[in-house]
Amino acid sequence: MFHDDAEQKYKIIIENVKEVCYNVSEAIEKYRKSYENVRIMAVTKTVAPELVNIAVDEGITLLGENRVQEFLEKKDMYRKQAEVHFIGHLQTNKVKYIVNDVTMIQSVDSLKLANEINRLSAKNNKVMDVLVEINIGDELTKSGVDKHNVFSLVEQMSQLENIKVKGLMTIPPPMCDESVYDEMHKIFLELKEKELYNVDMDILSMGMSGDYVTAIKHGSNLVRIGTKLFGARNIRR
Ligand SMILES: *Cc1c(COP(=O)(O)O)cnc(C)c1O
């Protein structure tokens, strides 16, 4: 009976991966140029590693981690071909635990955090790819830099030799107007046009289970999907 339960869960995840991939291709066809690529990330918070691995086996090899402790408990159980980005709020004193195990930190929203990532990356002989997180809806409860401070933050970060700014990340407010997505896209394009030294404005990480089609419509090229792949999370977490 337990065996059947697991089998059922696996089947659902495989179906979910197919559906999300289909919807993403459809959104690209409808709203974007056919050669544009949109990466799909599987957001793993609260999900058991053996279930995460089903998505990896089905081709979603990019994983998104929110919590340092949970990631450390799970990382050795993930498939070797999985690539991990950190996407959650990151305290400066926790950078040291993840700096060698993730290929990107998407949630950089202060110079203080950028400086610490730069320091530890230098110490470990690497250059860390980062995204700057913007609080596009000006929500008090959300992390992310204020949109008016993005330009100066990116400029200051471009001076740090052991981090490389690769783009922007955001979580738009729930049920917000599409103009918010458009505003985010404009900030991304404006920064790209500046062609700052040591900055590659290539990635716009925007869109989750409820809004990824809208986000793709407005220029996103990395969508972060949890619920639509693995089902609803426990409210407790
Ligand atoms: C949880 C989370 C997601 C995924 O959310 P879903 O609505 O479950 O798809 C994406 N990005 C971040 C930063 C998250 O914390």
Side-chain angles (χ1 to χ4, degrees):
M1 186 189 160
F2 285 153
H3 176 74
D4 283 353
D5 259 18
E7 197 101 308
Q8 191 59 26
K9 268 189 185 166
Y10 288 12
K11 276 189 186 152
I12 291 170
I13 292 169
I14 292 168
E15 280 309 306
N16 288 347
V17 169
K18 279 191 193 139
E19 192 181 324
V20 171
C21 289
Y22 179 83
N23 291 341
V24 166
S25 337
E26 207 181 43
I28 293 172
E29 197 170 309
K30 193 165 172 190
Y31 300 117
R32 303 278 289 276
K33 303 203 171 74
S34 60
Y35 57 79
E36 290 179 318
N37 186 38
V38 175
R39 258 189 120 178
I40 301 170
M41 164 189 280
V43 176
T44 69
K45 57 182 180 260
T46 77
V47 182
E50 58 270 25
L51 298 180
V52 173
N53 284 337
I54 306 292
V56 177
D57 290 341
E58 292 304 300
I60 313 284
T61 54
L62 178 61
L63 306 180
E65 297 291 324
N66 285 77
R67 299 177 179 87
V68 171
Q69 187 56 41
E70 186 181 339
F71 171 52
L72 296 179
E73 285 163 15
K74 284 155 70 172
K75 71 182 173 78
D76 292 335
M77 288 177 272
Y78 291 150
R79 295 274 192 263
K80 293 289 162 280
Q81 70 266 33
E83 178 189 353
V84 176
H85 290 182
F86 196 81
I87 61 170
H89 179 66
L90 184 56
Q91 287 171 288
T92 316
N93 63 354
K94 299 256 174 84
V95 176
K96 57 178 178 282
Y97 299 118
I98 64 164
V99 72
N100 280 318
D101 291 307
V102 302
T103 58
M104 189 183 286
I105 298 174
Q106 295 203 359
S107 43
V108 179
D109 62 357
S110 72
L111 191 60
K112 183 180 172 220
L113 179 57
N115 274 325
E116 178 65 357
I117 297 169
N118 185 61
R119 186 182 75 82
L120 287 168
S121 298
K123 201 171 152 188
N124 288 282
N125 284 313
K126 64 184 285 181
V127 175
M128 179 67 84
D129 288 341
V130 301
L131 302 183
V132 175
E133 182 178 356
I134 301 187
N135 183 356
I136 194 66
D138 293 326
E139 294 170 282
L140 289 173
T141 52
K142 268 192 195 148
S143 44
V145 63
D146 186 287
K147 62 192 168 206
H148 304 290
N149 298 331
V150 177
F151 292 89
S152 68
L153 179 60
V154 171
E155 236 157 35
Q156 287 171 298
M157 284 170 66
S158 71
Q159 305 300 313
L160 304 173
E161 296 288 345
N162 289 82
I163 62 174
K164 180 120 193 142
V165 178
K166 301 287 281 184
L168 304 176
M169 188 269 250
T170 195
I171 307 173
M175 320 294 273
C176 70
D177 195 89
E178 278 195 38
S179 62
V180 176
Y181 295 81
D182 192 45
E183 185 179 20
M184 187 68 200
H185 191 208
K186 284 198 174 118
I187 293 171
F188 174 74
L189 293 175
E190 251 178 77
L191 269 164
K192 196 183 180 73
E193 254 174 40
K194 282 188 193 274
E195 296 184 344
L196 291 172
Y197 159 78
N198 194 30
V199 172
D200 290 341
M201 262 302 139
D202 292 335
I203 301 174
L204 178 54
S205 173
M206 173 167 81
M208 316 200 300
S209 291
D211 67 346
Y212 64 99
V213 171
T214 305
I216 291 168
K217 181 176 172 186
H218 295 281
S220 168
N221 55 22
L222 197 164
V223 292
R224 309 178 310 266
I225 313 290
T227 311
K228 276 280 163 73
L229 292 175
F230 303 114
R233 289 178 288 275
N234 295 338
I235 292 161
R236 180 173 63 83
R237 305 294 292 260

